[in-house]
Amino acid sequence: MIKISKKKLKKIKGDITIVRTTALKNKVESLNMRCEYEDPYDKTSIYKYFSRTIRCSWVCTSLFTSFNQYSSLKKLIISYQGTNSIHLINEFYGKRLVHLNLYKKVLDAYLKQNNLDRLFTSNNLDRFAMVESKLAKKYKVQLIGIPHGLEYGFKFPKCFTGDIFYATSDFAVKYFNNLYKTSKFVFDKEFITSIFRKKQTDNNDIKIVYFSEPRESFVNHDIIRGLLPLFKKQNMILSLKLHPKEREEDYDDYDVEIIENFNNAITGNICFSRKSTILLEALYNNSMSSAILLNNKDRTFFSNFPSLQTEEINQAFSFHELESWIIESYKKKIDEKRT
């Protein structure tokens, strides 16, 4: 807070998004609106509009406020998990509670100084979403929810954030409006396309790309080991786009092509993954899309995402089913290029 230099804030009107995650940053690149960034450690973040004195007072207030929240949270978690869970509360919630209260302070001050119409957010169900919802109502700013990833199909105690929430399909709109007894979920194909569409690449090669997932990474290895013999038989190359949380060296033993650039991986190719937003993004980027669902857990997770329940996303329950789909999809992509 002390290191961030003060910058004068000119009063603004209209729409804004406050970016806290890489996922939102990538989505709003194509939207023509003002963006601010929230990061207590970054000198370019939204905190620069307020003096060092104010910022430091916010930190102190946030710290003391978090003690009361921590006390309530501690009682709740101990009632469920016992006293042995105390160290987990410290590790997981300590800094998070202070950060939440700090964000509440800066967002309150920012909305108060400006005359905004709409605030776009991808904080859909978390603690930051609760803060944004409360302050948007306070300052009569319309809150617009952008999908952060895939929306779970089971009901949460509180509905997704926003006066309007952009769902990713007509099916998802009907499903969530019925689930939460609301009408705020809408599907705007042009808008959803604009946030998912990536810059087209000049690469004419059609790649077969597996997008890995960081959770239960052993499943990634099972999939790659199972597919490589089939790819060798078909004289095909398996490309791999790693999740940012994974390490390339963990896959050194496999004869695969590692793709570094996400746009190159998602655009105009044959894409498959287990249960990921990738499956949707592929459709919006002229790629073929398939889920590979080898175990009951992945099948269950996949079925709990209404946005993935579309005929455009293939479902393969074995390596041979995926192989058949890849061969058929490859022929279709070749025909597309010829025409």
Side-chain angles (χ1 to χ4, degrees):
M1 291 293 99
I2 294 174
K3 290 181 179 179
I4 299 174
S5 300
K6 173 78 164 61
K7 182 178 179 180
K8 186 177 181 181
L9 173 63
K10 295 181 180 179
K11 191 170 185 177
I12 60 170
K13 299 180 180 181
D15 299 342
I16 191 174
T17 181
I18 298 178
V19 176
R20 294 192 53 262
T21 64
T22 303
L24 179 59
K25 181 181 178 181
N26 293 336
K27 286 183 174 68
V28 299
E29 284 177 345
S30 60
L31 302 179
N32 186 24
M33 73 171 69
R34 183 184 179 97
C35 290
E36 296 287 358
Y37 296 86
E38 191 278 331
D39 184 347
Y41 304 101
D42 193 327
K43 63 182 181 180
T44 65
S45 74
I46 194 172
Y47 296 98
K48 66 179 179 285
Y49 298 122
F50 306 94
S51 69
R52 289 182 173 91
T53 302
I54 290 175
R55 284 180 233 144
C56 290
S57 70
W58 286 346
V59 172
C60 294
T61 305
S62 299
L63 179 63
F64 285 109
T65 303
S66 71
F67 286 134
N68 292 329
Q69 296 170 334
Y70 176 86
S71 178
S72 300
L73 188 62
K74 182 179 175 182
K75 291 177 182 177
L76 176 68
I77 293 180
I78 287 177
S79 70
Y80 282 106
Q81 301 290 337
T83 55
N84 290 333
S85 63
I86 292 177
H87 74 282
L88 297 175
I89 305 173
N90 296 339
E91 292 173 11
F92 189 80
Y93 291 106
K95 186 185 290 187
R96 285 171 168 82
L97 287 175
V98 182
H99 187 191
L100 173 65
N101 290 303
L102 182 59
Y103 181 63
K104 185 177 180 180
K105 290 288 186 183
V106 72
L107 183 62
D108 192 338
Y110 189 86
L111 293 180
K112 184 178 182 179
Q113 289 192 19
N114 294 286
N115 185 22
L116 299 176
D117 296 320
R118 298 187 298 177
L119 170 63
F120 286 74
T121 181
S122 67
N123 300 320
N124 301 155
L125 288 162
D126 62 10
R127 60 198 187 279
F128 295 99
M130 304 302 111
V131 164
E132 290 170 341
S133 181
K134 182 177 180 179
L135 292 177
K137 288 179 181 178
K138 178 180 178 180
Y139 292 103
K140 296 180 174 57
V141 176
Q142 188 178 35
L143 190 61
I144 309 296
I146 300 175
H148 174 81
L150 295 173
E151 304 90 16
Y152 283 107
F154 50 82
K155 191 174 183 179
F156 285 86
K158 192 178 189 315
C159 186
F160 290 83
T161 304
D163 302 303
I164 294 175
F165 190 96
Y166 284 103
T168 50
S169 69
D170 281 321
F171 178 82
V173 167
K174 295 173 184 175
Y175 183 92
F176 286 117
N177 278 335
N178 179 62
L179 182 67
Y180 288 102
K181 307 305 178 188
T182 182
S183 60
K184 74 177 186 179
F185 291 91
V186 298
F187 176 62
D188 184 329
K189 188 172 183 178
E190 183 178 347
F191 179 82
I192 292 296
T193 300
S194 70
I195 65 174
F196 280 124
R197 179 70 58 84
K198 303 301 178 185
K199 184 178 180 181
Q200 300 295 306
T201 62
D202 297 328
N203 186 11
N204 291 320
D205 295 332
I206 300 170
K207 297 183 182 295
I208 304 165
V209 188
Y210 173 56
F211 291 79
S212 65
E213 297 181 25
R215 292 189 178 95
E216 298 180 324
S217 60
F218 67 89
V219 180
N220 297 326
H221 294 272
D222 290 343
I223 290 172
I224 293 171
R225 283 193 293 264
L227 286 176
L228 282 178
L230 302 178
F231 271 67
K232 187 175 182 180
K233 181 183 69 175
Q234 296 291 341
N235 196 28
M236 298 186 301
I237 298 174
L238 176 61
S239 298
L240 180 62
K241 178 65 183 79
L242 296 177
H243 190 277
K245 292 182 179 179
E246 290 192 288
R247 302 182 306 168
E248 186 173 329
E249 51 264 36
D250 291 338
Y251 295 86
D252 284 344
D253 295 337
Y254 302 115
D255 184 20
V256 296
E257 175 194 22
I258 303 291
I259 300 180
E260 300 287 347
N261 186 283
F262 179 79
N263 289 12
N264 290 342
I266 200 70
T267 305
N269 290 322
I270 298 167
C271 303
F272 62 100
S273 186
R274 289 157 55 196
K275 49 188 188 326
S276 168
T277 317
I278 292 298
L279 299 171
L280 267 180
E281 292 190 69
L283 298 180
Y284 286 104
N285 286 281
N286 192 34
S287 289
M288 310 292 280
S289 177
S290 177
I292 173 70
L293 306 168
L294 298 181
N295 59 63
N296 288 331
K297 188 171 184 179
D298 279 355
R299 293 186 192 113
T300 300
F301 269 104
F302 182 89
S303 66
N304 272 284
F305 293 123
S307 297
L308 298 183
Q309 311 312 307
T310 170
E311 293 181 356
E312 294 180 272
I313 298 175
N314 179 67
Q315 297 179 39
F317 301 100
S318 69
F319 292 126
H320 288 289
E321 285 183 7
L322 185 67
E323 178 188 24
S324 299
W325 174 80
I326 288 173
I327 293 171
E328 181 183 348
S329 299
Y330 193 83
K331 290 177 181 177
K332 288 181 180 179
K333 296 300 290 182
I334 290 293
D335 290 340
E336 282 182 16
K337 291 223 177 251
R338 286 173 180 169
T339 57

